[in-house]
Amino acid sequence: MPSHHHHHHLLTPLRPSSSSSSNQSFTSKLILLLTLLPLSLAALAFVLQWKGDRGLADPTTVTARWAPQGSHNHEIFPGMESSASILSPKPHHPSDCLSLARSGSPFPYLRDWKFDFEANLRPKICITTSTSAGLDQILPWMFYHKVIGVTTFFLFVEGRAASPNVSKVLESIPGVKVIFRTRELEEQQAKSRIWNETWLSSFFYKPCNYELFVKQSLNMEMAIVMARDAGMDWILHLDTDELIHPAGSSEYSLRQLLLDVPGNVDMVIFPNYESSVERDDIKDPFSEVSMFKKNYDHLPKDTYFGMYKESTRGNPNYFLTYGNGKSVARIQDHLRPNGAHRWHNYMKTPNEVKLEEAAVLHYTYAKFSDLTSRRDRCGCKPTKEDVKRCFMLEFDRAAFIIASTATDEEMLNWYHEHVVWGDKDLKLKLLRKGILTRVYSPMVIIQALRESGVFSSIIASAPTTISKDKFLASIDKSNSSRAVASESLPSRKMGRNRAHQAAARKVLDLEAIESHEAAVPPLSPPGANDDFLVEV
């Protein structure tokens, strides 16, 4: 068989010359196979990604700066600069593609490795988030971002994330600061200057999405102070169902991407891509979803509007949820949040640049259980009028009503009709047009981390009472009842009229923001009626 012949060929040059028993020979071949195959598959995954999405760098330039402590062979992560490369061109058999998801780790690590960032590593990047998720979601999210260059995390935790079994594990990880929502924290935030200003006032004293929006902004304000104290250069606000995709840099690295940003740029916007699931039984979106819908900002306008009807499939908007991306800000004097999606400055008009290739991957409604998890999210009645108090985006409203009123069978049918991409011909058409795209690198990196024992190593060394078996079960199966910040915490989102939305969506090259502008809410992408944006 071809695949057997390929493996035999790999092993032949390395066969010991001395005689040995057939048992030893078989064991030796097996060890060599398990060593070489994952590395080949890793290289293949990055080649596939590079060819399928020109936003990614050449995989042979994907390098790293450090290796796990205690490792004798010093394998290195992708996404960090180094004079050496982890990948080199290798022959591949076509059948290797089929084995990718089942393969061993492409980045093998000892269980006692630790991340070792050099003191002079620049720029230093931190992420802040407000979450109530479990370890099954937070750890893959966190360590993926460590791989691409994030050094520090400020986690504002509630719910499951604040439980002892979860928070003690998180607190044991170097570079992680866990902040609990205590009475002291709320009293401190009640004294924030934000309450006396107008830019966020439209969100005050409203339920659900609006409430979360204010809470996130207050948390971001505190994170700025902590980031400055920690010597950070950049700060990013990201939810735990979002991954940065640093396409367009010389290597798959957020650190390299920000290193190349001109010094006069204060903030960098990452347009978001939205997960497009192809099944209704996704358990672990980070490891199972590879298809995404591209942002308006990354598409030719005639393609976007020309394919709008087929892209929306009858849904209210092009994306199910928000479409205005997230931004990363340079740490500097007078920095402030501008809602969960943007940053601002009290004393000057900041310069923003929007990246042409890099994106935020948003895994929204990727699991069927995400529908039912929203059912208990807010105390709204499932009526078209009342849900407007709780949810700003139209799809969230519709999903809440369905989850609150329909049977399980009706919900599943609705999920298939509105979320799951089951039409192969339509998928192929939109993939060819560039509206849908394949992104493999996050999947490969997170599966590699999982299979190499990184997460089990973290839990095993943490001072916690949670059992290792229980943790591994949650990591491997991805607890279906997990609570994402956007699902379990009340949130506050606010909209604007269509004209303001449309005006805010023009692609930025280098532009300024009005200092008095209200906080930027989560906005839907341009609709079919907004085609006047296409410049003649």
Side-chain angles (χ1 to χ4, degrees):
M1 289 168 50
S3 60
H4 175 77
H5 175 75
H6 175 65
H7 297 153
H8 178 75
H9 176 72
L10 287 175
L11 294 169
T12 301
L14 301 173
R15 186 179 293 130
S17 57
S18 60
S19 61
S20 61
S21 71
S22 60
N23 217 18
Q24 291 172 326
S25 176
F26 175 76
T27 302
S28 161
K29 289 180 180 180
L30 184 60
I31 291 172
L32 287 168
L33 176 62
L34 292 175
T35 301
L36 294 175
L37 182 59
L39 293 173
S40 300
L41 294 176
L44 177 61
F46 280 94
V47 169
L48 286 174
Q49 177 61 49
W50 177 50
K51 289 183 176 179
D53 186 341
R54 279 181 284 178
L56 275 181
D58 185 327
T60 59
T61 66
V62 177
T63 55
R65 193 173 179 87
W66 36 259
Q69 294 297 306
S71 172
H72 296 294
N73 46 5
H74 293 284
E75 294 88 354
I76 52 179
F77 268 124
M80 295 294 176
E81 67 179 21
S82 170
S83 58
S85 173
I86 188 172
L87 300 175
S88 57
K90 295 179 182 177
H92 296 287
H93 193 280
S95 64
D96 287 351
C97 297
L98 304 175
S99 307
L100 179 60
R102 301 188 299 272
S103 72
S105 167
F107 311 107
Y109 293 95
L110 299 179
R111 288 179 177 270
D112 61 348
W113 67 267
K114 294 179 182 178
F115 285 87
D116 182 21
F117 291 99
E118 297 179 13
N120 62 351
L121 193 64
R122 284 288 186 270
K124 289 191 177 296
I125 309 164
C126 66
I127 290 179
T128 181
T129 192
S130 302
T131 184
S132 59
L135 290 174
D136 57 304
Q137 184 174 351
I138 296 176
L139 288 184
W141 171 85
M142 179 186 297
F143 279 88
Y144 167 82
H145 287 105
K146 279 180 173 282
V147 166
I148 64 172
V150 177
T151 61
T152 306
F153 298 81
F154 301 114
L155 308 180
F156 290 82
V157 297
E158 294 187 45
R160 189 142 60 111
S163 67
N165 282 344
V166 174
S167 60
K168 287 183 179 179
V169 172
L170 298 175
E171 288 176 317
S172 72
I173 302 171
V176 174
K177 171 66 175 176
V178 177
I179 305 97
F180 297 89
R181 189 147 201 88
T182 60
R183 179 177 296 179
E184 290 75 17
L185 177 70
E186 292 184 343
E187 289 174 353
Q188 185 177 352
Q189 291 187 340
K191 300 173 184 176
S192 168
R193 63 183 289 180
I194 287 177
W195 296 101
N196 298 319
E197 296 166 351
T198 59
W199 58 271
L200 195 62
S201 59
S202 300
F203 299 84
F204 293 160
Y205 313 118
K206 295 181 180 180
C208 293
N209 286 13
Y210 295 92
E211 185 184 352
L212 175 61
F213 201 76
V214 174
K215 187 184 294 183
Q216 288 174 324
S217 298
L218 293 167
N219 290 346
M220 290 164 71
E221 182 184 48
M222 297 187 72
I224 291 170
V225 177
M226 291 186 284
R228 182 187 293 278
D229 291 344
M232 296 291 109
D233 299 304
W234 293 92
I235 186 168
L236 170 66
H237 177 259
L238 210 61
D239 295 329
T240 51
D241 64 349
E242 298 171 330
L243 301 177
I244 288 290
H245 175 50
S249 65
S250 59
E251 53 193 66
Y252 199 71
S253 165
L254 177 61
R255 189 179 64 81
Q256 184 62 50
L257 202 68
L258 295 178
L259 192 64
D260 295 336
V261 171
N264 67 332
V265 173
D266 302 305
M267 295 162 202
V268 180
I269 297 174
F270 290 78
N272 61 296
Y273 291 5
E274 191 170 79
S275 59
S276 300
V277 298
E278 300 167 82
R279 312 192 318 267
D280 63 11
D281 60 348
I282 299 292
K283 300 299 182 188
D284 179 19
F286 292 159
S287 296
E288 298 178 60
V289 177
S290 67
M291 192 169 76
F292 294 85
K293 190 185 285 188
K294 278 193 173 183
N295 194 285
Y296 164 84
D297 290 328
H298 285 180
L299 287 169
K301 302 308 171 268
D302 56 346
T303 300
Y304 178 89
F305 291 111
M307 304 293 294
Y308 188 85
K309 185 175 181 181
E310 290 171 285
S311 301
T312 58
R313 298 165 56 207
N315 287 322
N317 291 294
Y318 173 78
F319 277 163
L320 302 183
T321 52
Y322 78 89
N324 56 325
K326 292 291 181 74
S327 74
V328 58
R330 200 185 294 274
I331 299 293
Q332 53 187 289
D333 291 342
H334 312 297
L335 180 66
R336 72 159 170 86
N338 199 36
H341 293 254
R342 295 289 188 272
W343 305 88
H344 208 284
N345 193 293
Y346 280 112
M347 301 301 291
K348 72 173 185 177
T349 302
N351 289 326
E352 283 190 347
V353 60
K354 183 173 289 185
L355 297 177
E356 295 180 356
E357 297 174 80
V360 170
L361 304 179
H362 185 203
Y363 296 77
T364 185
Y365 290 97
K367 296 162 63 177
F368 175 63
S369 60
D370 289 345
L371 271 184
T372 54
S373 68
R374 281 163 167 76
R375 186 167 49 201
D376 304 321
R377 177 173 167 176
C378 294
C380 283
K381 297 175 183 177
T383 63
K384 288 186 178 180
E385 284 304 313
D386 204 49
V387 292
K388 292 179 182 178
R389 295 190 308 113
C390 292
F391 303 100
M392 190 51 231
L393 298 174
E394 294 180 62
F395 190 85
D396 284 335
R397 297 170 181 171
F400 181 83
I401 292 174
I402 287 293
S404 302
T405 60
T407 64
D408 288 346
E409 184 179 358
E410 289 170 337
M411 271 194 292
L412 188 58
N413 290 337
W414 188 89
Y415 188 73
H416 273 275
E417 182 180 349
H418 293 272
V419 181
V420 178
W421 289 80
D423 186 332
K424 292 183 179 179
D425 292 335
L426 179 59
K427 274 193 300 186
L428 185 59
K429 181 178 182 180
L430 295 182
L431 281 165
R432 285 173 173 168
K433 289 286 186 179
I435 289 175
L436 294 176
T437 188
R438 294 285 181 182
V439 181
Y440 295 106
S441 295
M443 174 190 291
V444 171
I445 291 171
I446 287 175
Q447 285 190 190
L449 289 165
R450 188 188 312 279
E451 294 170 7
S452 63
V454 168
F455 305 140
S456 55
S457 173
I458 294 296
I459 191 66
S461 60
T464 176
T465 57
I466 188 172
S467 73
K468 187 173 180 181
D469 290 341
K470 182 178 179 182
F471 169 78
L472 289 173
S474 71
I475 286 294
D476 292 337
K477 295 180 180 178
S478 183
N479 193 326
S480 62
S481 64
R482 67 157 170 85
V484 187
S486 61
E487 295 170 353
S488 61
L489 296 179
S491 55
R492 327 161 164 125
K493 301 180 181 178
M494 179 193 113
R496 294 178 176 171
N497 62 51
R498 266 236 183 281
H500 283 165
Q501 287 186 18
R505 291 189 193 105
K506 290 188 177 179
V507 179
L508 293 175
D509 180 14
L510 194 66
E511 75 174 28
I513 302 177
E514 294 291 336
S515 59
H516 61 272
E517 182 181 347
V520 177
L523 299 174
S524 298
N529 296 328
D530 296 338
D531 54 3
F532 60 83
L533 278 179
V534 181
E535 296 180 3
V536 180

Short mmCIF file of all heavy atoms in Angstrom, two decimals, residues 267-306:
data_model
loop_
_atom_site.label_atom_id
_atom_site.label_comp_id
_atom_site.label_asym_id
_atom_site.label_seq_id
_atom_site.Cartn_x
_atom_site.Cartn_y
_atom_site.Cartn_z
N MET A 267 -3.19 52.62 17.70
CA MET A 267 -4.10 51.48 17.82
C MET A 267 -4.21 50.74 16.50
O MET A 267 -4.18 51.34 15.43
CB MET A 267 -5.48 51.96 18.27
CG MET A 267 -5.45 52.56 19.67
SD MET A 267 -6.89 53.57 20.03
CE MET A 267 -6.20 54.58 21.37
N VAL A 268 -4.32 49.42 16.59
CA VAL A 268 -4.40 48.57 15.41
C VAL A 268 -5.71 47.78 15.46
O VAL A 268 -5.99 47.11 16.46
CB VAL A 268 -3.21 47.60 15.35
CG1 VAL A 268 -3.30 46.72 14.11
CG2 VAL A 268 -1.88 48.36 15.37
N ILE A 269 -6.49 47.88 14.39
CA ILE A 269 -7.77 47.17 14.33
C ILE A 269 -7.60 45.84 13.60
O ILE A 269 -7.03 45.79 12.51
CB ILE A 269 -8.84 48.02 13.64
CG1 ILE A 269 -9.11 49.30 14.43
CG2 ILE A 269 -10.14 47.22 13.47
CD1 ILE A 269 -10.05 50.26 13.74
N PHE A 270 -8.12 44.78 14.21
CA PHE A 270 -8.17 43.47 13.59
C PHE A 270 -9.62 43.20 13.17
O PHE A 270 -10.46 42.95 14.03
CB PHE A 270 -7.72 42.37 14.56
CG PHE A 270 -6.25 42.41 14.90
CD1 PHE A 270 -5.74 43.33 15.81
CD2 PHE A 270 -5.38 41.50 14.33
CE1 PHE A 270 -4.39 43.35 16.14
CE2 PHE A 270 -4.02 41.52 14.64
CZ PHE A 270 -3.53 42.45 15.54
N PRO A 271 -9.94 43.25 11.88
CA PRO A 271 -11.30 42.85 11.46
C PRO A 271 -11.56 41.41 11.89
O PRO A 271 -10.62 40.61 12.00
CB PRO A 271 -11.25 42.98 9.94
CG PRO A 271 -10.14 43.96 9.69
CD PRO A 271 -9.12 43.69 10.75
N ASN A 272 -12.81 41.08 12.14
CA ASN A 272 -13.11 39.72 12.60
C ASN A 272 -13.65 38.85 11.48
O ASN A 272 -14.34 39.32 10.57
CB ASN A 272 -14.10 39.74 13.76
CG ASN A 272 -15.43 40.36 13.40
OD1 ASN A 272 -15.51 41.55 13.08
ND2 ASN A 272 -16.49 39.56 13.43
N TYR A 273 -13.27 37.57 11.52
CA TYR A 273 -13.87 36.54 10.67
C TYR A 273 -14.79 35.72 11.58
O TYR A 273 -14.50 35.55 12.76
CB TYR A 273 -12.81 35.60 10.09
CG TYR A 273 -11.90 36.22 9.05
CD1 TYR A 273 -11.95 37.58 8.73
CD2 TYR A 273 -10.96 35.43 8.37
CE1 TYR A 273 -11.11 38.12 7.78
CE2 TYR A 273 -10.12 35.97 7.42
CZ TYR A 273 -10.19 37.32 7.13
OH TYR A 273 -9.35 37.87 6.18
N GLU A 274 -15.86 35.19 11.01
CA GLU A 274 -16.84 34.46 11.84
C GLU A 274 -16.82 32.97 11.50
O GLU A 274 -16.81 32.59 10.32
CB GLU A 274 -18.24 35.04 11.62
CG GLU A 274 -19.26 34.54 12.62
CD GLU A 274 -20.56 35.31 12.52
OE1 GLU A 274 -21.35 35.03 11.60
OE2 GLU A 274 -20.79 36.20 13.35
N SER A 275 -16.82 32.14 12.53
CA SER A 275 -16.81 30.69 12.32
C SER A 275 -18.02 30.26 11.50
O SER A 275 -19.12 30.77 11.69
CB SER A 275 -16.81 29.96 13.67
OG SER A 275 -17.95 30.30 14.43
N SER A 276 -17.80 29.34 10.58
CA SER A 276 -18.87 28.80 9.74
C SER A 276 -18.84 27.28 9.89
O SER A 276 -18.06 26.60 9.21
CB SER A 276 -18.66 29.21 8.28
OG SER A 276 -18.66 30.62 8.16
N VAL A 277 -19.67 26.76 10.78
CA VAL A 277 -19.60 25.33 11.12
C VAL A 277 -20.27 24.50 10.03
O VAL A 277 -21.19 24.95 9.35
CB VAL A 277 -20.23 25.04 12.50
CG1 VAL A 277 -19.49 25.78 13.60
CG2 VAL A 277 -21.72 25.39 12.51
N GLU A 278 -19.76 23.29 9.88
CA GLU A 278 -20.26 22.39 8.84
C GLU A 278 -20.98 21.18 9.41
O GLU A 278 -21.44 20.32 8.67
CB GLU A 278 -19.08 21.96 7.97
CG GLU A 278 -18.38 23.13 7.30
CD GLU A 278 -17.05 22.77 6.69
OE1 GLU A 278 -17.05 22.24 5.56
OE2 GLU A 278 -16.00 23.01 7.34
N ARG A 279 -21.08 21.13 10.75
CA ARG A 279 -21.79 20.04 11.43
C ARG A 279 -22.56 20.62 12.61
O ARG A 279 -22.27 21.73 13.06
CB ARG A 279 -20.82 18.97 11.95
CG ARG A 279 -19.78 18.50 10.97
CD ARG A 279 -19.06 17.26 11.50
NE ARG A 279 -18.74 17.34 12.92
CZ ARG A 279 -17.57 17.77 13.42
NH1 ARG A 279 -16.64 18.23 12.59
NH2 ARG A 279 -17.36 17.79 14.71
N ASP A 280 -23.48 19.82 13.15
CA ASP A 280 -24.23 20.27 14.32
C ASP A 280 -23.74 19.62 15.61
O ASP A 280 -24.34 19.80 16.67
CB ASP A 280 -25.73 19.98 14.14
CG ASP A 280 -26.04 18.49 14.04
OD1 ASP A 280 -25.16 17.66 14.31
OD2 ASP A 280 -27.19 18.14 13.68
N ASP A 281 -22.64 18.86 15.51
CA ASP A 281 -22.16 18.14 16.70
C ASP A 281 -20.75 18.59 17.11
O ASP A 281 -19.97 17.80 17.65
CB ASP A 281 -22.17 16.63 16.46
CG ASP A 281 -21.29 16.21 15.28
OD1 ASP A 281 -20.85 17.09 14.52
OD2 ASP A 281 -21.04 14.99 15.13
N ILE A 282 -20.41 19.85 16.84
CA ILE A 282 -19.11 20.39 17.26
C ILE A 282 -19.04 20.40 18.78
O ILE A 282 -19.94 20.90 19.46
CB ILE A 282 -18.91 21.82 16.72
CG1 ILE A 282 -18.94 21.84 15.18
CG2 ILE A 282 -17.60 22.42 17.23
CD1 ILE A 282 -17.79 21.18 14.51
N LYS A 283 -17.96 19.87 19.33
CA LYS A 283 -17.75 19.87 20.78
C LYS A 283 -16.65 20.85 21.18
O LYS A 283 -16.73 21.48 22.22
CB LYS A 283 -17.38 18.46 21.26
CG LYS A 283 -18.45 17.41 20.98
CD LYS A 283 -19.75 17.74 21.67
CE LYS A 283 -20.79 16.65 21.41
NZ LYS A 283 -22.13 17.06 21.93
N ASP A 284 -15.60 20.93 20.37
CA ASP A 284 -14.46 21.79 20.67
C ASP A 284 -14.18 22.67 19.45
O ASP A 284 -13.40 22.29 18.58
CB ASP A 284 -13.24 20.94 21.03
CG ASP A 284 -12.02 21.79 21.33
OD1 ASP A 284 -12.19 22.99 21.63
OD2 ASP A 284 -10.89 21.26 21.25
N PRO A 285 -14.82 23.83 19.36
CA PRO A 285 -14.70 24.67 18.15
C PRO A 285 -13.26 24.98 17.75
O PRO A 285 -12.94 24.95 16.56
CB PRO A 285 -15.46 25.94 18.55
CG PRO A 285 -16.47 25.48 19.54
CD PRO A 285 -15.78 24.40 20.32
N PHE A 286 -12.39 25.28 18.73
CA PHE A 286 -11.01 25.63 18.39
C PHE A 286 -10.31 24.52 17.62
O PHE A 286 -9.45 24.79 16.78
CB PHE A 286 -10.20 25.93 19.66
CG PHE A 286 -10.61 27.19 20.37
CD1 PHE A 286 -10.30 27.36 21.72
CD2 PHE A 286 -11.29 28.21 19.72
CE1 PHE A 286 -10.66 28.53 22.39
CE2 PHE A 286 -11.66 29.37 20.38
CZ PHE A 286 -11.35 29.53 21.72
N SER A 287 -10.64 23.28 17.91
CA SER A 287 -9.97 22.14 17.29
C SER A 287 -10.73 21.55 16.12
O SER A 287 -10.18 20.72 15.39
CB SER A 287 -9.72 21.03 18.32
OG SER A 287 -8.85 21.46 19.34
N GLU A 288 -11.99 21.95 15.93
CA GLU A 288 -12.81 21.31 14.92
C GLU A 288 -13.28 22.23 13.80
O GLU A 288 -13.74 21.75 12.76
CB GLU A 288 -14.05 20.67 15.58
CG GLU A 288 -13.73 19.58 16.58
CD GLU A 288 -14.98 19.02 17.23
OE1 GLU A 288 -15.85 18.49 16.50
OE2 GLU A 288 -15.13 19.13 18.46
N VAL A 289 -13.17 23.53 13.98
CA VAL A 289 -13.67 24.47 12.97
C VAL A 289 -12.51 25.04 12.16
O VAL A 289 -11.57 25.60 12.73
CB VAL A 289 -14.47 25.62 13.63
CG1 VAL A 289 -14.93 26.62 12.57
CG2 VAL A 289 -15.66 25.07 14.40
N SER A 290 -12.59 24.90 10.84
CA SER A 290 -11.53 25.44 9.97
C SER A 290 -12.08 26.42 8.94
O SER A 290 -11.30 27.09 8.26
CB SER A 290 -10.81 24.30 9.24
OG SER A 290 -11.69 23.66 8.32
N MET A 291 -13.41 26.52 8.81
CA MET A 291 -13.99 27.41 7.80
C MET A 291 -14.54 28.67 8.45
O MET A 291 -15.22 28.61 9.47
CB MET A 291 -15.11 26.68 7.03
CG MET A 291 -15.57 27.44 5.79
SD MET A 291 -16.66 26.45 4.72
CE MET A 291 -18.19 26.52 5.66
N PHE A 292 -14.20 29.82 7.85
CA PHE A 292 -14.62 31.12 8.40
C PHE A 292 -15.14 32.00 7.28
O PHE A 292 -14.73 31.88 6.12
CB PHE A 292 -13.43 31.81 9.08
CG PHE A 292 -12.95 31.09 10.30
CD1 PHE A 292 -12.04 30.06 10.19
CD2 PHE A 292 -13.41 31.44 11.57
CE1 PHE A 292 -11.59 29.37 11.31
CE2 PHE A 292 -12.97 30.76 12.69
CZ PHE A 292 -12.06 29.73 12.56
N LYS A 293 -16.05 32.89 7.65
CA LYS A 293 -16.56 33.88 6.70
C LYS A 293 -15.73 35.15 6.87
O LYS A 293 -15.56 35.66 7.97
CB LYS A 293 -18.03 34.17 6.97
CG LYS A 293 -18.69 35.01 5.89
CD LYS A 293 -20.13 35.37 6.23
CE LYS A 293 -21.05 34.18 6.06
NZ LYS A 293 -22.48 34.58 6.20
N LYS A 294 -15.22 35.66 5.76
CA LYS A 294 -14.34 36.83 5.81
C LYS A 294 -15.10 38.11 6.12
O LYS A 294 -16.29 38.24 5.82
CB LYS A 294 -13.60 36.99 4.48
CG LYS A 294 -12.36 36.12 4.33
CD LYS A 294 -11.57 36.59 3.12
CE LYS A 294 -10.24 35.87 3.02
NZ LYS A 294 -9.43 36.38 1.90
N ASN A 295 -14.37 39.06 6.66
CA ASN A 295 -14.94 40.36 6.98
C ASN A 295 -15.11 41.22 5.74
O ASN A 295 -14.35 41.11 4.77
CB ASN A 295 -14.04 41.08 8.00
CG ASN A 295 -14.69 42.27 8.64
OD1 ASN A 295 -14.84 43.33 8.03
ND2 ASN A 295 -15.09 42.12 9.90
N TYR A 296 -16.07 42.09 5.80
CA TYR A 296 -16.32 43.08 4.74
C TYR A 296 -15.03 43.83 4.36
O TYR A 296 -14.76 44.08 3.19
CB TYR A 296 -17.39 44.06 5.24
CG TYR A 296 -17.53 45.35 4.48
CD1 TYR A 296 -18.30 45.42 3.33
CD2 TYR A 296 -16.92 46.51 4.95
CE1 TYR A 296 -18.45 46.62 2.64
CE2 TYR A 296 -17.06 47.71 4.27
CZ TYR A 296 -17.83 47.76 3.11
OH TYR A 296 -17.97 48.94 2.44
N ASP A 297 -14.23 44.16 5.36
CA ASP A 297 -13.01 44.93 5.13
C ASP A 297 -11.95 44.17 4.35
O ASP A 297 -11.00 44.77 3.85
CB ASP A 297 -12.41 45.40 6.46
CG ASP A 297 -13.27 46.46 7.13
OD1 ASP A 297 -13.91 47.24 6.40
OD2 ASP A 297 -13.31 46.49 8.37
N HIS A 298 -12.07 42.86 4.29
CA HIS A 298 -11.07 42.04 3.61
C HIS A 298 -11.59 41.46 2.29
O HIS A 298 -10.99 40.53 1.75
CB HIS A 298 -10.60 40.89 4.52
CG HIS A 298 -9.68 41.35 5.60
ND1 HIS A 298 -9.14 40.49 6.54
CD2 HIS A 298 -9.20 42.59 5.92
CE1 HIS A 298 -8.36 41.18 7.37
NE2 HIS A 298 -8.39 42.44 7.01
N LEU A 299 -12.68 42.02 1.78
CA LEU A 299 -13.26 41.52 0.53
C LEU A 299 -13.43 42.65 -0.48
O LEU A 299 -13.68 43.80 -0.09
CB LEU A 299 -14.64 40.91 0.80
CG LEU A 299 -14.68 39.55 1.50
CD1 LEU A 299 -16.10 39.23 1.93
CD2 LEU A 299 -14.14 38.45 0.59
N PRO A 300 -13.32 42.35 -1.77
CA PRO A 300 -13.70 43.35 -2.77
C PRO A 300 -15.18 43.69 -2.59
O PRO A 300 -16.00 42.81 -2.35
CB PRO A 300 -13.47 42.63 -4.11
CG PRO A 300 -12.55 41.49 -3.78
CD PRO A 300 -12.86 41.09 -2.38
N LYS A 301 -15.50 44.96 -2.67
CA LYS A 301 -16.87 45.37 -2.37
C LYS A 301 -17.89 44.78 -3.35
O LYS A 301 -19.01 44.47 -2.96
CB LYS A 301 -16.97 46.90 -2.36
CG LYS A 301 -16.00 47.55 -1.36
CD LYS A 301 -16.16 46.93 0.04
CE LYS A 301 -15.07 47.39 1.00
NZ LYS A 301 -13.90 46.51 1.03
N ASP A 302 -17.50 44.63 -4.63
CA ASP A 302 -18.45 44.05 -5.58
C ASP A 302 -18.71 42.57 -5.26
O ASP A 302 -19.82 42.07 -5.44
CB ASP A 302 -17.95 44.21 -7.02
CG ASP A 302 -16.57 43.62 -7.23
OD1 ASP A 302 -15.89 43.33 -6.23
OD2 ASP A 302 -16.16 43.47 -8.40
N THR A 303 -17.69 41.88 -4.74
CA THR A 303 -17.88 40.49 -4.32
C THR A 303 -18.81 40.42 -3.11
O THR A 303 -19.75 39.62 -3.06
CB THR A 303 -16.53 39.83 -3.97
OG1 THR A 303 -15.69 39.86 -5.11
CG2 THR A 303 -16.73 38.39 -3.51
N TYR A 304 -18.54 41.28 -2.12
CA TYR A 304 -19.34 41.29 -0.89
C TYR A 304 -20.82 41.54 -1.19
O TYR A 304 -21.69 40.76 -0.79
CB TYR A 304 -18.79 42.35 0.06
CG TYR A 304 -19.56 42.49 1.36
CD1 TYR A 304 -19.23 41.71 2.47
CD2 TYR A 304 -20.60 43.40 1.48
CE1 TYR A 304 -19.92 41.84 3.66
CE2 TYR A 304 -21.31 43.54 2.66
CZ TYR A 304 -20.96 42.76 3.76
OH TYR A 304 -21.65 42.88 4.93
N PHE A 305 -21.11 42.61 -1.89
CA PHE A 305 -22.50 42.96 -2.15
C PHE A 305 -23.13 42.07 -3.22
O PHE A 305 -24.32 41.77 -3.18
CB PHE A 305 -22.62 44.43 -2.53
CG PHE A 305 -22.33 45.36 -1.38
CD1 PHE A 305 -21.19 46.15 -1.38
CD2 PHE A 305 -23.17 45.44 -0.29
CE1 PHE A 305 -20.91 47.00 -0.32
CE2 PHE A 305 -22.90 46.27 0.78
CZ PHE A 305 -21.77 47.06 0.76
N GLY A 306 -22.29 41.63 -4.18
CA GLY A 306 -22.80 40.77 -5.24
C GLY A 306 -23.25 39.41 -4.75
O GLY A 306 -24.16 38.80 -5.32
#
